[in-house]
Amino acid sequence: MTYDLAVVGGGILGLAHAWQGARAGLRVAVFERNAYADGASVRNFGMLAIAAQQPGPELQSARASLAAWQEVAASAGISLRQAGCLFVARRPEEMDLLVERAAARGPDVQDFTLIGAEDLACHAPGLKEGALGALYSPEAWKADQRGVPAAIAAWLARDHGVTFHFGTEVIHAGDGQVETTDGQHAAGQIVICGGNDFARLCPDAWAQSGVSTCRLQMLRTAPQPEGWRLKPFVMGGLSMARYTAFANCDALPALRAVQSAQMPEAVKHGVHVIIAQEDDGSITLGDSHHYGAGAAPDDPAKVDDLILAETDALMTLPERRIAARWVGNYAHLSGQSLLRISPCAGVTAVTVTNGQGMTHGFAVAAETIANLTA
Ligand SMILES: Cc1cc2nc3c(=O)[nH]c(=O)nc-3n(C[C@H](O)[C@H](O)[C@H](O)COP(=O)(O)OP(=O)(O)OC[C@H]3O[C@@H](n4cnc5c(N)ncnc54)[C@H](O)[C@@H]3O)c2cc1C
């Protein structure tokens, strides 16, 4: 078969590139080695975290990507819920950071509202007593991460004529050909969206780029009782220290110092906690960050316990039984949010390297396809 564009990988990046390619009038095929997407795109929180971005180009990219998500969701009939997010302060240093961030205003700054301790219960049930206040932003959307890739693939096949080759691994890409476990196909352009795994297809480019892997642990509770609903994503001080939305705050060094002194194990394992309710009532909890190939912690159960301890410090969940635990991986490049390289003529490899491909994926794809079709 001959295609204008062959996309390797059926995760959110691959699907976003396939959509942008089809919209540009290209004949597109997607090759996914599993029977369905099984990478980071189905293992995350489904958080389109506009609120967590650094004002400037990062925030603009997230907002552009959200606009594309909304268009896709409406056309493909998938649910995209404006959940909002709540950064809850339990330490004075956290509150100082939130107050400073709330004071920043302007068209290129997120819409944040400072919430007093007495009003917290209106925003989220189950928050622990003793919280000092919170910062709320409406700019966070919840996608159903487990169902979205399959739904988008079905819609792309049906409405955009994209051909899907599931259960088909690409073993070589170059010279206008994709060689797969199911035969060879000609392609004018090849875009590799293999997540943290394009090392196998482009070993030299992977090695030269300096990119590595980040391993994350995640948990999910059993469904909460009927009627108990948590609308926003809830996060605490560890997330404030992680997200670039707070990177320029003068209060950040003091917060980091307190965390290093008071929660060294959580800091060591890169734990920060996001609490997110799924449509089935369960709560997704995570995560941790271990960097480098084969960087599993010695005691993964201890890392889960750190995530749960931080969750318990923030909230009382009526149903605390853990129904599922899993690991996710993404490509990581320190201080860089995107790796887009061309290892040889006609081949582009693209991966989001800051762990926020759900938030930025559609904007990244629009740029790649614009470059290829210019
Ligand atoms: C635990 C966790 C939580 C996260 N939370 C968030 C969040 O809330 N918000 C956010 O914005 N981002 C989040 N991220 C990051 C986000 O999930 C990723 O950036 C994004 O999903 C990457 O998408 P992708 O399509 O590049 O990769 P993947 O989803 O990993 O997809 C790559 C696909 O390529 C396939 N593949 C690889 N090689 C081949 C080959 N040779 N032939 C055929 N198929 C191949 C794989 O099977 C896989 O399905 C999180 C990540 C993790 C791990």
Side-chain angles (χ1 to χ4, degrees), residues 211-233:
V211 75
S212 74
T213 288
C214 180
R215 175 195 186 276
L216 300 86
Q217 288 181 206
M218 299 280 284
L219 305 97
R220 184 173 296 119
T221 70
Q224 300 301 313
E226 191 83 15
W228 192 93
R229 290 305 299 171
L230 177 64
K231 187 170 177 246
F233 295 94

Side-chain angles (χ1 to χ4, degrees), residues 53-256:
Q53 309 303 309
Q54 185 160 28
E58 199 177 277
L59 178 59
Q60 286 157 13
S61 158
R63 284 181 170 160
S65 197
L66 172 67
W69 261 106
Q70 289 171 322
E71 192 180 336
V72 169
S75 305
I78 57 179
S79 120
L80 191 60
R81 172 170 67 85
Q82 184 167 14
C85 68
L86 199 61
F87 289 97
V88 179
R90 291 176 292 126
R91 293 179 168 80
E93 293 80 4
E94 294 168 0
M95 202 59 209
D96 289 348
L97 187 82
L98 299 189
V99 169
E100 183 184 343
R101 192 63 182 78
R105 295 277 160 211
D108 281 334
V109 176
Q110 294 93 328
D111 184 8
F112 278 124
T113 308
L114 207 54
I115 313 286
E118 62 287 359
D119 294 326
L120 282 176
C122 308
H123 288 267
L127 289 176
K128 279 275 163 65
E129 297 235 332
L132 303 177
L135 197 60
Y136 173 77
S137 169
E139 288 194 272
W141 274 257
K142 176 82 180 80
D144 166 25
Q145 68 280 26
R146 288 175 285 177
V148 147
I152 294 180
W155 165 72
L156 285 175
R158 189 183 66 235
D159 290 4
H160 289 275
V162 174
T163 303
F164 281 84
H165 298 265
F166 284 107
T168 306
E169 180 161 10
V170 173
I171 45 189
H172 179 73
D175 304 320
Q177 300 284 328
V178 281
E179 191 184 327
T180 79
T181 45
D182 195 26
Q184 193 149 318
H185 303 265
Q189 290 289 341
I190 301 164
V191 176
I192 301 173
C193 299
N196 70 317
D197 190 12
F198 65 75
R200 255 183 284 185
L201 284 179
C202 322
D204 295 341
W206 175 271
Q208 281 162 20
S209 68
V211 75
S212 74
T213 288
C214 180
R215 175 195 186 276
L216 300 86
Q217 288 181 206
M218 299 280 284
L219 305 97
R220 184 173 296 119
T221 70
Q224 300 301 313
E226 191 83 15
W228 192 93
R229 290 305 299 171
L230 177 64
K231 187 170 177 246
F233 295 94
V234 171
M235 294 173 264
L238 291 165
S239 301
M240 298 172 206
R242 176 160 286 275
Y243 281 124
T244 50
F246 302 98
N248 294 338
C249 290
D250 293 338
L252 185 57
L255 173 58
R256 288 219 164 106

Side-chain angles (χ1 to χ4, degrees), residues 9 11-13 32-34 40-41 44 47 170 195 355-359:
I12 200 66
L13 261 286
E32 167 55 55
R33 68 177 164 213
N34 293 305
S41 302
N44 56 48
M47 176 166 70
V170 173
Q356 296 191 54
M358 294 292 275
T359 304

